[in-house]
Amino acid sequence: MMKISRRNMMQMMGAAAFAGPLASATRAFAGRAKELNILCWEGYNSAEVLDPFRSSHAANVKAESLTNDPTMINRLRAGETKIWDLINVNNPWARKVMAPAGLIKPLPRAEFEPYFDTMLPDFKAPYRWAMSDNGEDLLGMAQRFGPYSFVVNTDKVSKTTAEEQGWDLFNDTALAGRYGIQESDDWNVFNIFLIAGINPFKEHTEEEFKAFSETAEKVFKGARMVGDMASLNQALVSGEIDLYMTGGTYSVSPARADGYPNLRAITPLTGPIDGKGGISWIEITSTVNNPDLSPLAIEFLKYVQDPEVAHTVAFAEGTFNPVSQMGNPKCFELFTKDELEAIQWDSLEEDMARSAEYDIVPDYDKALELMTAARRLRG
């Protein structure tokens, strides 16, 4: 009788891998068990977040950061579901696009819904943006979030004035040459609709597109600069500009943490989206419908729910943000007074209440084309 040892068991498994009907499955398990690929917004790809997971699982974890949701999703559509295990994008895409297109897989509700019970009150299960349209499938986990409208230097434009005047600040000819625009196609489309007094998240008439186009031309011509968030924050600090769009906690928190609390994300008191003046975002991380999904994908989603890891995610390299896990006292108590000040915890609840949640613009392509044409007029 053959004695089964770990050595000959491994030999048998090796032979089966090349000879039997389970050959491909065995090769897949062996190939992906210590490998994880993440497509995400910046922060989740930082060494502070990834290195402890790499070490504890002896895993090869790769993460690529992009700054545009549709581009990330288009990569899955182009066949990269075979590459990625996790995708981290803003709230509407899992429910409205990726799940219907079969690009992501549902999570086991019994394993993951208890995590929502420890999150901040607005994220309790069943959390709308984490669920399929029919309410049956859990499509991802919520973590970072925040309001995102515009940023001012409160030494130049007071918080009260900015909140009361809202998007009309960018219609004020007196501020021409005193503001900047962040390079962000989708968010700038949202903002230009709002400056024109139009709800971005609906089908638009020709008359509304005419107003959008005229507003885009005026806003881009009046901007002193168009750049990334670091250059815009620096321009606020130096006094080159007084405010910029698009912006919010995500963009201005690093500058606030560096000692500039006078720079502040603003959410207007009112606006054209059912009366709401701002827009907020919530990141949802989902498992990709990879035919050879790494078992580490599920483990990583659980790993980032840990209070200490969630705090690290909040203050990951590059940008600082609130996280849904702050509803857990063990997570919240890790935030120092200065960290809470950096992420504007004092007004977070009212800012979110004034914000409509990020959504999809049904006629986005036409709006983007008009906005791109307007930007070209800057020369």
Side-chain angles (χ1 to χ4, degrees):
M1 181 177 178
M2 183 178 181
K3 185 177 179 181
I4 302 297
S5 66
R6 184 176 184 278
R7 176 184 171 84
N8 56 31
M9 176 63 83
M10 294 301 290
Q11 289 172 335
M12 290 165 63
M13 290 176 63
F18 290 100
L22 297 178
S24 60
T26 306
R27 279 198 302 271
F29 181 79
R32 303 301 322 283
K34 293 294 182 183
E35 175 183 305
L36 178 67
N37 295 325
I38 307 171
L39 189 59
C40 57
W41 280 81
E42 66 177 336
Y44 294 93
N45 60 335
S46 75
E48 300 160 284
V49 175
L50 297 182
D51 281 353
F53 187 82
R54 288 178 174 129
S55 299
S56 63
H57 290 77
N60 181 18
V61 181
K62 296 178 181 176
E64 182 173 336
S65 171
L66 296 180
T67 56
N68 184 295
D69 296 318
T71 300
M72 285 194 264
I73 293 163
N74 283 338
R75 289 177 65 168
L76 299 190
R77 285 193 176 111
E80 294 192 15
T81 49
K82 297 176 182 176
I83 296 174
W84 304 105
D85 299 295
L86 292 171
I87 182 167
N88 162 254
V89 291
N90 282 308
N91 48 291
W93 301 100
R95 179 187 176 102
K96 293 189 173 182
V97 174
M98 293 194 294
L103 299 173
I104 55 176
K105 294 181 177 181
L107 295 170
R109 291 182 68 170
E111 281 186 62
F112 282 94
E113 282 195 334
Y115 290 112
F116 285 87
D117 292 336
T118 66
M119 294 182 184
L120 290 166
D122 288 347
F123 298 90
K124 298 298 183 188
Y127 177 56
R128 175 174 177 254
W129 290 117
M131 301 301 295
S132 61
D133 200 40
N134 62 10
E136 293 182 358
D137 293 326
L138 178 61
L139 302 177
M141 298 299 290
Q143 193 149 36
R144 301 190 302 186
F145 70 97
Y148 210 62
S149 294
F150 61 86
V151 171
V152 304
N153 179 344
T154 55
D155 292 340
K156 301 292 183 66
V157 182
S158 74
K159 177 176 180 285
T160 300
T161 297
E163 289 177 335
E164 291 178 350
Q165 294 194 22
W167 295 104
D168 266 344
L169 285 171
F170 295 90
N171 288 318
D172 185 348
T173 54
L175 286 173
R178 298 298 307 162
Y179 63 84
I181 300 175
Q182 188 179 172
E183 294 171 323
S184 176
D185 286 344
D186 52 352
W187 283 97
N188 286 340
V189 164
F190 303 166
N191 287 2
I192 288 170
F193 272 122
L194 292 169
I195 295 167
I198 300 167
N199 181 348
F201 304 129
K202 70 178 194 66
E203 296 278 357
H204 298 97
T205 64
E206 287 303 314
E207 184 178 347
E208 287 172 330
F209 269 123
K210 182 173 184 293
F212 175 90
S213 181
E214 291 171 351
T215 302
E217 289 183 20
K218 178 181 63 182
V219 168
F220 274 97
K221 283 183 179 177
R224 185 179 181 93
M225 61 186 293
V226 178
D228 59 25
M229 64 183 191
S231 62
L232 291 167
N233 285 336
Q234 182 56 45
L236 280 179
V237 169
S238 68
E240 188 178 357
I241 60 173
D242 297 340
L243 68 163
Y244 71 80
M245 70 162 218
T246 298
T249 310
Y250 189 98
S251 67
V252 75
S253 53
R256 290 174 58 83
D258 281 344
Y260 299 99
N262 55 317
L263 309 188
R264 189 168 184 97
I266 296 294
T267 305
L269 291 174
T270 61
I273 312 175
D274 299 327
K276 292 185 182 291
I279 298 174
S280 61
W281 55 276
I282 307 102
E283 288 177 348
I284 301 292
T285 306
S286 304
T287 48
V288 173
N289 191 14
N290 187 328
D292 190 14
L293 185 71
S294 168
L296 294 179
I298 292 290
E299 295 306 311
F300 187 84
L301 280 179
K302 293 178 180 176
Y303 161 76
V304 294
Q305 302 303 314
D306 177 88
E308 290 193 6
V309 180
H311 175 257
T312 301
V313 169
F315 282 85
E317 180 182 359
T319 176
F320 312 142
N321 300 279
V323 290
S324 59
Q325 289 76 17
M326 293 175 80
N328 181 346
K330 292 181 180 177
C331 180
F332 186 82
E333 67 188 15
L334 298 173
F335 286 75
T336 67
K337 180 182 176 182
D338 287 345
E339 288 174 341
L340 292 173
E341 172 68 21
I343 62 173
Q344 297 184 202
W345 179 257
D346 60 325
S347 63
L348 179 64
E349 185 174 350
E350 59 185 294
D351 286 333
M352 292 298 286
R354 290 181 207 158
S355 299
E357 292 168 324
Y358 180 117
D359 212 334
I360 296 171
V361 178
D363 35 26
Y364 175 78
D365 289 345
K366 182 173 182 178
L368 179 62
E369 181 181 348
L370 292 172
M371 190 182 75
T372 303
R375 180 174 175 175
R376 288 197 194 101
L377 295 177
R378 283 177 57 84

